[in-house]
Amino acid sequence: MYKLKIISATVRPGRKGPVIANWIADIARRNEDFEVELLDLGEVKLPMMDEPNHPSLQKYQHQHTKDWSAKINSADAFIFVTGEYNFGYPAPLRNALEYLQKEWAYKASGIVSYGGISAGTRAANSLKGDLATLKIVPLADAVFIPFFAKLINEQNEFVPGEISLIAADNMLKELLRWTRALKTMRE
């Protein structure tokens, strides 16, 4: 089994990111090839980067960094679930990415973005460029959810349309293919 870490990027009060992250995690868990762990940055609570050494050295001083490093290092693949704030992805995700360097490398990632009319596409495109600099392979296949708030029911569950389900299925198939291929690069 490949270890898939799903990272929910939003941290503000009243956020809906965890609802979307739980939905994609449930879908991913149906795939027998993935062992899924949901990492909610609102619960991880990494402070703004506070390590004295550059992440490439992996000389971490703080326990929160050591714990984050272990979680990310053990992963084989990622799905980033992000909203769009001011045409980009949330600062806590950027912070979480910058805490580490080598732990991210040669792993594939899918992106699930959500927002208003743009469905978070600007956030996803910005995120893809930053992921590539960390040697994470961002997939072309992604899930973009417009007007997401209208798709959350009274039980606080995301109720996707057919297009979102198809996109999620396609992304997970590609994620598995890339995860298999990149595992050999890491070995």
Side-chain angles (χ1 to χ4, degrees):
M1 283 181 92
Y2 299 106
K3 293 182 179 181
L4 172 61
K5 307 292 182 172
I6 297 176
I7 300 174
S8 182
T10 58
V11 300
R12 66 178 180 77
R15 65 202 169 108
K16 296 298 181 186
V19 175
I20 307 292
N22 284 329
W23 166 73
I24 196 65
D26 288 344
I27 290 176
R29 286 184 181 108
R30 295 178 198 158
N31 187 318
E32 296 175 357
D33 293 303
F34 288 126
E35 175 186 320
V36 178
E37 181 179 8
L38 185 54
L39 302 174
D40 180 349
L41 294 182
E43 294 175 6
V44 173
K45 295 185 189 252
L46 288 170
M48 287 303 288
M49 172 53 100
D50 63 351
E51 286 290 337
N53 298 303
H54 192 280
S56 65
L57 300 174
Q58 295 182 301
K59 293 182 179 179
Y60 306 127
Q61 303 298 309
H62 303 293
Q63 191 60 47
H64 58 259
T65 311
K66 293 173 185 176
D67 294 344
W68 184 239
S69 172
K71 291 268 186 203
I72 299 308
N73 196 50
S74 70
D76 295 305
F78 306 103
I79 294 175
F80 295 95
V81 179
T82 185
E84 182 171 299
Y85 296 165
N86 300 321
F87 306 101
Y89 63 94
L93 177 53
R94 176 70 185 230
N95 185 53
L97 290 168
E98 289 184 354
Y99 255 91
L100 310 173
Q101 185 187 46
K102 294 177 182 175
E103 295 90 338
W104 297 110
Y106 307 113
K107 298 172 185 178
S109 71
I111 296 174
V112 175
S113 68
Y114 56 93
I117 195 166
S118 74
T121 56
R122 296 169 294 206
N125 286 333
S126 177
L127 179 57
K128 282 181 182 183
D130 290 345
L131 294 178
T133 64
L134 291 167
K135 299 182 182 174
I136 301 170
V137 178
L139 302 178
D141 293 87
V143 181
F144 303 110
I145 306 167
F147 303 110
F148 73 97
K150 293 180 179 181
L151 302 172
I152 296 175
N153 67 18
E154 291 177 5
Q155 291 76 39
N156 206 31
E157 300 166 325
F158 178 64
V159 182
E162 184 179 352
I163 292 172
S164 293
L165 291 169
I166 292 168
D169 186 54
N170 289 340
M171 181 185 70
L172 285 163
K173 285 178 185 173
E174 280 299 295
L175 189 61
L176 181 58
R177 291 179 72 187
W178 279 93
T179 300
R180 286 179 176 144
L182 290 170
K183 182 126 176 127
T184 59
M185 287 184 70
R186 292 193 313 276
E187 291 173 348

